Every structure is written in structure tokens, then in C-alpha cells.
Amino acid sequence: CGVAYCLSGLSHSTSSPQTTTATFPPNHRARPLTTREAHGDRSPGRRRTETMKKGGKEGKGKGGGKQSGGAPREYLTCALKFLATEAFVASIIGKGGAVISGMRTSCKAKLHFTEYGEVYPGTESRVLTAQTNDEELLNQVIEQMVAKLDEVAKDGSDAENSGVEGDLKIKVLVPRAAAGSIIGKGGVTIKLLRESSGAKISISDASSWGPAADQVVSVQGEEEAIKTVLEEVNKHIQALKDEGWFQGWATTPGTVSWAYSNLSGGGASSSRVYSHTPGIDLMLSVAQNLPPYVMEDSRGFALSCVVPDDLVGGLIGRGGSGTREIETLTGAKLSIREISDDPGNRTLNIAGALPAACAAYMLMMKRYLDVEQQSAGSSW
């Protein structure tokens, strides 16, 4: 395995409710990760989960509460994720929730949308997670979803995303491991599926690393072609349901708020563009002049800094939504750990490729300043 380096980052201390100072610690240096760290024994996700189970502030206070985005807590063995624009969402829910209630009953399924504004990166689509205890029941969900999509297409109000009558469009999320089997060696499997169904099928690049990284499967064609492709996709996904990572994939929608979606090049049209400043110009200049082997080094890097314990809840966000959306956007892994001899502070750890780690660090510092300001305002 490769060697990653841990850079001890900025240590933040709050000298007053409205003042933040940043100093480099005297022992600022790089160190290689140990073999156990590199193999995941210090997995950021695992550390955060363990801390939350111990009653840490990640799940309490300003950052506590229910799991964000309406993601299901109860785990069922089979899962499928759809991307849905607001027009599609409205059709699925139906008047007074009658349609989705009927789907839940007839398919014996749990159906959960992410909250309004919590969209998949680069899109304006919310994530609908469907969970059952049987693959065939998910096929029934697919049939009803495609029927509702056809209604939206006939209405013509969302042609760009949902297609038109006789030529529907739909997108689903699949874990990276399933995408590989859908494509097949040399693209043979997906080629045969295209030919047998008559549908257009494309698969995006993975959002990050690992078997559970999301990939978007886009399908376009007639109603029956769409159902044929989605049922085949469903089969490939459920073949992995016994894998150790599958439960995490099934219960994590992988969404970000519109604000972060705009940073990744998609989302709502209200994205804000800031003019260049000397600081931004400096970062761009450094990044653009680095040789490819630095930016693309596969070993990865780790950054650490110290944050006040009383701000951790806000940093992580409700149900972990804050750190989760940054992980989704950047591909970096985040964790916050207790410091045994310093109960007033915790260590924020960020690991990933150099661009991912640096981007995640900047976004977390924005959250830090926002949370600090909110904390200062509430103390008066």
C-alpha cells in the first residue's frame, strides 16, 4: 500500500466569542501513516461513528437530531436509489401523499426522499431511496416509478429531465462495485443490455473511491425499455447486498445542499460567483503550476487541526449532514476525535487526494467560522 503523510494543520483557539486566532504548533511536521492506518483501522467514518455512540457532541446540541435528509434508519436487505426532480417527486408523492403511501403498501417498501434542497451533486434532483427485503419487490417499485415518470413526460412540464411521451429519461445511483458488473469486461455486458432493450444507457465516473462510491446510471428510451434496464441494474446491485459496505451505501443518500452542489458545477441557478482576490489567485497559481504527479498521487494525504469541543456539533451538522456533504462533494474522508488530555478541544482529521483534502479543509473552515459566529451571537 502507499504511504500517506499527515500534516499537522492550523490549531484554532477562541480567545473571545468573536475572535479567532490561528497558530502553527511548534512540532509542525509531516509523518507517514502506519500500516494499520493505511489499511483503515483508523477509518474516519468508523471513528466518527464510535464517538457518536459514546455520546459525543457530534450527535448532540446544535448538530444533533435525526438523520439528515429523511434517510431511513431501519436497514432492509435490498435497496435502490432514484434521482428525482421536483416534478417527478410531486408525481410520486401524489395528492396528500396518497400515491407514495400506496406504493409503500403494495410493494412492502420503505420509500424516503431527501429533504427539499438536499440534492445529488451536480444536479437539481433529490434522492429517493427504496428499501425492501426482496429484489422482486424492488422490481415492483421500479414498475410504479416508471409509470409515474411516464405521467410526468406526458404532461411535458419537465421534458429536459424526464423526457417526453415514448422517450423517457431516468437516473439511478449505483455503487461502484455494481457499475463494474453492469459494464462488464470490455463493456460487453452493457453493450448487450443496450441492444436487447433498445435503451440508451450511460454511466458516470465514480464520485469517490471504494466499492460504495456512487455512480449515476442514466437511461433513456420507451417505458418498457426503461423497466428492462432498471430491473437488470437492480439485479446487479442486490447481488452485493451481503457485502460489508452495502448497508452504509443503502442508508446514505450522498446528497449535498444546493449551495455545495453549485460549487461542483450544477444545482440551482442562484449560485454565487465571487471575484478573484489575492488569496484565490495565489491558490489557483500554486495548483496550476504543480506537476501532475503531485496532484494525482494515489497515496493520499492527511491533514489535522484542533477545533473547540463546544463547536463540534455545529461542524458535523444535524445527523452528520455537514461533514457528509463535504465528503460527498470532495471525495475526502473526515473525522473528529477526542483528545485524551485536552477535553476542551478535538482533532479534525481530513484524508484523501491532495486536491480533495485541501478542498475539504477549506469547506470545513467555512463551517467553522459560520458556527463560531452563530455561537457568538447566541451568547449575547
Side-chain angles (χ1 to χ4, degrees):
C1 62
V3 177
Y5 292 90
C6 180
L7 304 177
S8 181
L10 294 175
S11 175
H12 294 275
S13 61
T14 307
S15 54
S16 70
Q18 296 178 315
T19 304
T20 301
T21 60
T23 58
F24 283 102
N27 62 346
H28 175 72
R29 65 183 186 273
R31 67 166 178 83
L33 294 179
T34 67
T35 302
R36 290 186 62 189
E37 292 170 340
H39 278 84
D41 282 7
R42 292 178 58 187
S43 163
R46 183 181 303 173
R47 286 198 298 269
R48 185 168 64 244
T49 301
E50 290 173 350
T51 305
M52 292 175 71
K53 287 180 178 178
K54 293 177 181 177
K57 291 184 179 291
E58 288 91 331
K60 297 183 178 180
K62 296 179 180 179
K66 297 187 295 183
Q67 190 170 346
S68 176
R73 290 177 180 273
E74 181 183 351
Y75 176 65
L76 299 175
T77 56
C78 299
L80 188 61
K81 300 179 186 178
F82 300 83
L83 294 186
T85 60
E86 289 307 315
F88 194 15
V89 169
S91 178
I92 295 168
I93 293 175
K95 187 175 181 179
V99 174
I100 195 169
S101 178
M103 286 186 185
R104 286 169 174 152
T105 301
S106 64
C107 301
K108 300 178 182 177
K110 287 186 174 293
L111 303 175
H112 298 262
F113 281 107
T114 53
E115 298 292 342
Y116 180 80
E118 289 188 353
V119 298
Y120 189 76
T123 77
E124 293 183 22
S125 298
R126 291 154 72 179
V127 177
L128 167 61
T129 302
Q131 290 183 284
T132 69
N133 275 320
D134 183 78
E135 179 183 326
E136 182 54 39
L137 290 174
L138 279 182
N139 285 336
Q140 293 179 29
V141 172
I142 289 171
E143 184 173 358
Q144 295 193 43
M145 289 292 175
V146 175
K148 302 310 295 183
L149 179 68
D150 187 53
E151 291 180 10
V152 176
K154 288 177 179 177
D155 176 72
S157 60
D158 190 34
E160 182 179 353
N161 299 297
S162 302
V164 296
E165 185 176 2
D167 189 26
L168 309 180
K169 297 178 182 177
I170 195 168
K171 294 180 179 180
V172 294
L173 297 179
V174 304
R176 186 176 180 180
S181 64
I182 293 168
I183 295 170
K185 187 175 181 180
V188 171
T189 304
I190 195 170
K191 181 181 178 181
L192 291 174
L193 185 56
R194 286 171 178 144
E195 293 174 350
S196 63
S197 66
K200 297 177 182 177
I201 310 169
S202 63
I203 302 179
S204 72
D205 293 333
S207 60
S208 58
W209 301 276
D214 280 319
Q215 291 187 246
V216 180
V217 176
S218 302
V219 189
Q220 181 176 350
E222 296 179 351
E223 184 174 351
E224 286 304 316
I226 297 284
K227 287 192 287 188
T228 297
V229 172
L230 293 188
E231 287 175 5
E232 184 67 16
V233 168
N234 183 36
K235 181 178 73 174
H236 285 276
I237 293 175
Q238 308 321 317
L240 301 168
K241 65 182 181 181
D242 294 327
E243 297 294 328
W245 49 264
F246 190 85
Q247 179 177 356
W249 176 82
T251 55
T252 303
T255 55
V256 298
S257 68
W258 266 331
Y260 287 128
S261 182
N262 292 331
L263 290 175
S264 64
S269 59
S270 60
S271 59
R272 186 179 300 173
V273 178
Y274 295 94
S275 59
H276 282 197
T277 66
I280 293 176
D281 288 337
L282 173 61
M283 289 189 293
L284 289 174
S285 176
V286 170
Q288 290 170 351
N289 287 285
L290 285 175
Y293 71 84
V294 176
M295 300 295 282
E296 299 171 6
D297 192 301
S298 61
R299 296 174 295 180
F301 296 83
L303 301 171
S304 298
C305 66
V306 175
V307 295
D309 182 73
D310 58 355
L311 299 185
V312 166
L315 281 173
I316 289 176
R318 185 179 180 182
S321 60
T323 50
R324 187 165 57 244
E325 64 187 4
I326 291 176
E327 288 179 326
T328 300
L329 175 64
T330 64
K333 296 297 182 183
L334 280 66
S335 67
I336 296 181
R337 303 182 67 194
E338 296 178 351
I339 303 174
S340 59
D341 57 349
D342 187 2
N345 293 294
R346 296 198 188 189
T347 302
L348 165 64
N349 301 300
I350 304 172
L354 184 59
C358 291
Y361 182 84
M362 287 188 286
L363 291 173
M364 283 301 290
M365 289 305 98
K366 177 187 179 301
R367 288 191 66 86
Y368 175 87
L369 294 174
D370 290 346
V371 172
E372 184 185 50
Q373 185 176 27
Q374 293 170 6
S375 177
S378 63
S379 67
W380 292 96

